[in-house]
Amino acid sequence: MAKAAEPVAKAPASKPPAEELRSFLIGLGRGAAGALLFAVPMLMTMELWELGDYTERSRLLVMLFLNIPLLFFLAHQIGFERTFTWRQAARDATIAFGLGILISAVMLAMMGILKPETSFTSIIGRIAIQSVPASIGALLGRSQLGGGARQNEPDEGAVPDHLSPNFARELFLMGVGALFLNLNVAPTEEVILISYKMTPWHALATILVSIAIMHAFVYAVSFRGTHQIPEGEPRWHALFRFTLPGYVITMLISLYVLWIFGRLDDTAASQILMSAIVLSFPGAIGAASARLIL
Amino acid sequence: MARPQKTRSRNAPVSKPAGKGTASTVEWVTGLISAFIVLVMICWVAWEALTEVEAPPAFAVTVRERQAVEGGYRVTFDIANASSQTAATVVVRGEIVDGDTTVEDADITFDYVPGQSKASGSIFFSQDPGSRPIRLRAVGYTEP
């Protein structure tokens, strides 16, 4: 199969227009499917509708703005079409954000959450807050559901590595994975409730378990051969080079999501830390598995 | 079947030169900074675990704003919890007091008042308390 695809891969421009349109529409369909798959848990979470109503507009704006570079880099890594240029990445990111907004709006309307009597601010807020995970899902959908299509495209150097590094890339993907699971979990009241129920001893255990799970994933990934721990390198090297930076990124993403959702307001530093530790547990799983999935 | 093989072949030539050069230094510096941050966090939580005093929630209610609104009178207040323990379903009762008698009272329930944190809320009275004092106090809570 890979052999047959070779000529197409070498010269993607020579595709007949009809086929190009078809593959674009398939990509669009996969994006929509991905947006649905990833966003449905959030679309059906009551707290997230309410957050759409009352989240501070300035924070919502920050979230939407930060989503643009995030989608852009993500598109560059995995994209609808495997992207070669930043222009194509920008196009894919725009399409993903558009799909995310559209699908959020349609789904919310279908479930009767957007009604004519709902205030305009609420409608915009509810759609906006859902569009972020949905748009990430639209981009991920391609890589999740489109395994076959990937083989049509050249693998060698498809993602230019001139921005160095696989290291930066890995940290970025971990961040996206953490953000994704955080957005799923953070809106629920359980996150803060758990942080109230936990004693500092529970928190300590949670930190250690989160790091251990992440580290286990690092090994799973290295066994699969998608990333490079040179043979013969002591095992604890990976802990410093991937696991701990990954966990710190997960913590930062957790704090960011908690701040967006207003969970940190008027809260003591130790309580902030507790809720960040709680949210970093699912975040760590998301971050670690992102390196497997993406 | 074909995929892992392919990815491996993609990474092999790229990773070797990057691993030896600057990337490796960057990775180690990032790693050490991260290790430091995680260690500080663990020490902080451990310190809290060791020094934590099992004091029950203690509330202090302070009036922040009194304002006449349509059809009544609004009193906005902060409730601070000085203990490290969080309280749930905290009921705060506001009373307008005239001498020994309570002229009007109103209740409000907070879902949570986290430890060492504060929450704020408002109570509506149907009448302007004027110069009569307003008494605000927490009347109960549950453990979360």
Side-chain angles (χ1 to χ4, degrees):
Chain A
M1 208 186 144
K3 248 186 205 163
E6 204 76 308
V8 183
K10 282 265 156 61
S14 66
K15 272 189 205 169
E19 195 189 323
E20 205 174 320
L21 179 70
R22 193 178 148 267
S23 74
F24 176 72
L25 288 179
I26 290 174
L28 214 56
R30 286 199 175 118
L36 270 179
L37 176 67
F38 281 80
V40 153
M42 279 159 274
L43 285 163
M44 300 178 97
T45 300
M46 187 170 70
E47 285 94 337
L48 213 52
W49 314 333
E50 288 157 8
L51 279 165
D53 295 345
Y54 70 76
T55 299
E56 251 177 61
R57 297 295 118 162
S58 53
R59 295 185 191 182
L60 203 53
L61 196 66
V62 168
M63 193 184 181
L64 293 175
F65 271 137
L66 282 182
N67 196 38
I68 295 171
L70 186 148
L71 289 176
F72 185 55
F73 285 108
L74 197 59
H76 197 247
Q77 300 294 348
I78 52 177
F80 279 109
E81 319 281 322
R82 193 136 214 210
T83 45
F84 301 96
T85 64
W86 292 106
R87 234 182 99 224
Q88 282 169 312
R91 184 203 60 187
D92 280 4
T94 314
I95 293 174
F97 212 163
L99 265 180
I101 294 170
L102 189 73
I103 285 181
S104 306
V106 170
M107 287 296 117
L108 288 175
M110 183 193 85
M111 295 187 285
I113 293 144
L114 305 179
K115 285 183 174 162
E117 64 267 25
T118 315
S119 80
F120 185 69
T121 324
S122 288
I123 292 178
I124 296 292
R126 287 175 190 181
I127 295 173
I129 212 162
Q130 300 280 1
S131 71
V132 171
S135 60
I136 298 173
L139 274 180
L140 296 188
R142 170 70 178 191
S143 104
Q144 287 273 299
L145 308 168
R150 203 175 249 194
Q151 282 159 17
N152 293 333
E153 287 134 26
D155 251 341
E156 208 70 43
V159 177
D161 284 301
H162 47 73
L163 245 185
S164 123
N166 294 317
F167 182 60
R169 176 178 184 262
E170 297 232 0
L171 293 188
F172 170 72
L173 291 183
M174 281 200 261
V176 174
L179 177 67
F180 198 80
L181 243 77
N182 277 355
L183 284 174
N184 260 292
V185 178
T188 62
E189 195 185 316
E190 281 81 351
V191 170
I192 42 172
L193 178 61
I194 291 168
S195 78
Y196 295 155
K197 280 182 175 290
M198 287 203 316
T199 66
W201 294 111
H202 292 100
L204 268 184
T206 308
I207 296 173
L208 296 179
V209 169
S210 305
I211 292 177
I213 290 175
M214 279 192 94
H215 200 56
F217 269 99
V218 166
Y219 274 101
V221 173
S222 81
F223 284 140
R224 205 182 140 222
T226 54
H227 104 104
Q228 35 317 144
I229 300 172
E231 313 256 328
E233 193 181 279
R235 296 195 153 197
W236 58 270
H237 277 199
L239 180 73
F240 281 93
R241 285 172 51 192
F242 295 104
T243 311
L244 292 179
Y247 189 67
V248 169
I249 285 178
T250 305
M251 282 295 279
L252 291 176
I253 299 274
S254 301
L255 286 170
Y256 162 69
V257 172
L258 286 168
W259 174 76
I260 296 276
F261 291 165
R263 301 278 198 231
L264 305 181
D265 301 355
D266 282 333
T267 307
S270 58
Q271 287 293 347
I272 290 177
L273 186 65
M274 288 291 251
S275 25
I277 289 169
V278 173
L279 194 55
S280 290
F281 176 64
I285 297 171
S289 58
R291 303 160 78 251
L292 267 180
I293 294 165
L294 301 183
Chain B
M1 273 284 288
R3 246 174 83 198
Q5 196 118 31
K6 268 188 166 179
T7 1
R8 199 173 294 130
S9 72
R10 186 181 83 207
N11 279 334
V14 179
S15 64
K16 284 277 154 57
K20 290 268 176 278
T22 51
S24 175
T25 322
V26 172
E27 288 177 23
W28 278 107
V29 170
T30 317
L32 289 175
I33 294 173
S34 307
F36 177 72
I37 295 173
V38 172
L39 201 67
V40 167
M41 186 174 76
I42 290 176
C43 289
W44 181 2
V45 178
W47 181 78
E48 287 210 331
L50 292 170
T51 59
E52 195 187 32
V53 189
E54 286 281 310
F59 303 108
V61 185
T62 46
V63 175
R64 220 171 54 189
E65 197 188 10
R66 307 160 58 134
Q67 196 182 15
V69 291
E70 203 179 300
Y73 197 82
R74 181 174 60 200
V75 176
T76 305
F77 62 94
D78 288 337
I79 173 164
N81 179 359
S83 153
S84 63
Q85 276 187 22
T86 295
T89 52
V90 181
V91 179
V92 174
R93 180 165 299 151
E95 292 165 324
I96 299 175
V97 187
D98 195 358
D100 281 346
T101 54
T102 301
V103 182
E104 185 180 350
D105 65 356
D107 281 359
I108 184 171
T109 306
F110 290 87
D111 286 344
Y112 298 104
V113 182
Q116 286 165 342
S117 303
K118 63 179 183 179
S120 48
S122 296
I123 280 180
F124 289 109
F125 292 113
S126 62
Q127 53 186 303
D128 187 340
S131 61
R132 291 170 294 188
I134 295 171
R135 198 162 60 196
L136 286 165
R137 64 189 182 94
V139 291
Y141 68 91
T142 62
E143 281 179 17

